[in-house]
Amino acid sequence: MRKEATRIRRSVIEMIGRARMGHIGGDLSTTDILATLFFAVLRIDPSNPTTPERDRFILSKGHCAAALYSTLALRGFLPVEALSTFMQPLSALNGHPNRRKVPGVEANTGPLGHGLPIAVGSAVASKLKSSQWRTFVVLGDGELQEGSNWEAAMCAGHRRLDNLVAIVDRNRLQQGARTEDTNQLEPLASRWTSFGWETVEIDGHDLAALYDAFTSPRNGKPKCVIAKTVKGKGISFIEDRVEWHHKVPTVEQIELALKELA
């Protein structure tokens, strides 16, 4: 998983550098989460991406599509060569994921606050079908300022959707500022718990901790994993800097970043 996470990060740097647009900070903070899910946890089949009993993954923070596309390509859902078309005219790899165009994408996301409600519906569908597939959804922490998330959280707690896992990419930064300076989220774990969720807080770059959190036995409640991450993780001059929410690196910075990830 560590090897794949590094490959994803290198791919993200190259894609955004080539396209001259993207959301590099959030891509890099969520990379270890994606690597753990797609290479060790999710029950999926790249050769048959719509098999009914597959697990579902939803990237609610859809602006971090570059990391998702890189992960899907390295996992075999699309050719790695297709990544070179990221953000190009008529490319399937747009700035936000589209389920009609990209294999492995379960929901069109981009407007923040939509992914968790969709995931709740997915989890309910699995229950109604008496199926075993699970739904995992990654949310940005700044995204939790959207009230639709808390309506969905309340519904999931009420229905005891223990087949649903929400992962908060808790990098503490959003566009333009720190989350706590914009709208206080803490005590975040207590908020989720109060809505009837099992809540765990872990290092979002500890692959073993991520794996354990995603695979631990169900206890009759939906699970929220608050993954404490660093925005821009892996690149020294990007880490924990608010201006890198969607800043594009120069040619020299791309070379330096790839060296750091060598």
Side-chain angles (χ1 to χ4, degrees):
M1 289 188 292
R2 177 61 60 197
K3 176 182 177 182
E4 299 301 338
T6 298
R7 293 178 69 194
I8 294 167
R9 285 191 168 92
R10 290 180 61 88
S11 176
V12 165
I13 295 295
E14 292 170 344
M15 290 167 65
I16 291 177
R18 184 185 303 112
R20 307 310 299 162
M21 62 183 76
H23 291 80
I24 195 167
D27 283 318
L28 297 175
S29 67
T30 197
T31 293
D32 295 311
I33 298 168
L34 293 174
T36 304
L37 286 171
F38 278 85
F39 289 92
V41 176
L42 295 176
R43 296 182 305 128
I44 49 178
D45 180 1
S47 66
N48 187 10
T50 60
T51 181
E53 290 301 311
R54 71 191 183 280
D55 287 336
R56 272 65 167 176
F57 172 78
I58 296 169
L59 181 68
S60 189
K61 47 181 292 183
H63 55 283
C64 291
L68 178 59
Y69 296 151
S70 296
T71 303
L72 290 173
L74 294 173
R75 188 65 174 82
F77 282 88
L78 60 148
V80 172
E81 295 76 20
L83 299 177
S84 64
T85 70
F86 176 60
M87 296 288 233
Q88 298 302 310
L90 304 181
S91 171
L93 306 186
N94 204 339
H96 295 87
N98 188 322
R99 64 182 298 274
R100 295 182 179 274
K101 296 181 178 181
V102 184
V105 172
E106 297 286 355
N108 294 24
T109 53
L112 298 177
H114 286 195
L116 182 58
I118 296 172
V120 169
S122 173
V124 170
S126 180
K127 292 284 188 180
L128 292 175
K129 291 175 176 290
S130 299
S131 297
Q132 295 302 309
W133 47 269
R134 304 170 72 195
T135 300
F136 296 79
V137 54
V138 170
L139 305 103
D141 50 2
E143 179 181 5
L144 295 180
Q145 295 160 15
E146 294 283 356
S148 51
N149 285 308
W150 300 107
E151 295 176 21
M154 180 169 55
C155 177
H158 172 73
R159 288 179 171 268
R160 302 183 67 83
L161 299 178
D162 61 354
N163 58 349
L164 174 63
V165 179
I167 305 123
V168 179
D169 182 17
R170 186 69 169 118
N171 60 39
R172 297 180 179 273
L173 288 172
Q174 61 188 86
Q175 181 172 321
R178 296 193 172 272
T179 57
E180 300 309 284
D181 294 334
T182 305
N183 197 359
Q184 184 177 333
L185 295 174
E186 296 296 342
L188 187 56
S190 297
R191 295 180 192 271
W192 284 94
T193 301
S194 71
F195 278 85
W197 290 59
E198 175 192 1
T199 308
V200 296
E201 295 183 88
I202 60 172
D203 178 347
H205 302 300
D206 183 331
L207 298 175
L210 287 167
Y211 178 82
D212 289 344
F214 299 155
T215 59
S216 62
R218 306 182 193 185
N219 72 351
K221 298 180 179 180
K223 178 182 289 185
C224 176
V225 178
I226 300 176
K228 298 180 179 179
T229 62
V230 177
K231 198 156 188 172
K233 177 67 175 179
I235 309 299
S236 60
F237 57 87
I238 297 179
E239 287 187 354
D240 199 39
R241 297 178 66 101
V242 68
E243 65 268 28
W244 284 97
H245 179 78
H246 52 56
K247 183 177 178 180
V248 176
T250 64
V251 173
E252 293 75 19
Q253 287 172 325
I254 292 172
E255 292 178 358
L256 177 57
L258 293 176
K259 286 182 180 179
E260 292 190 9
L261 293 170

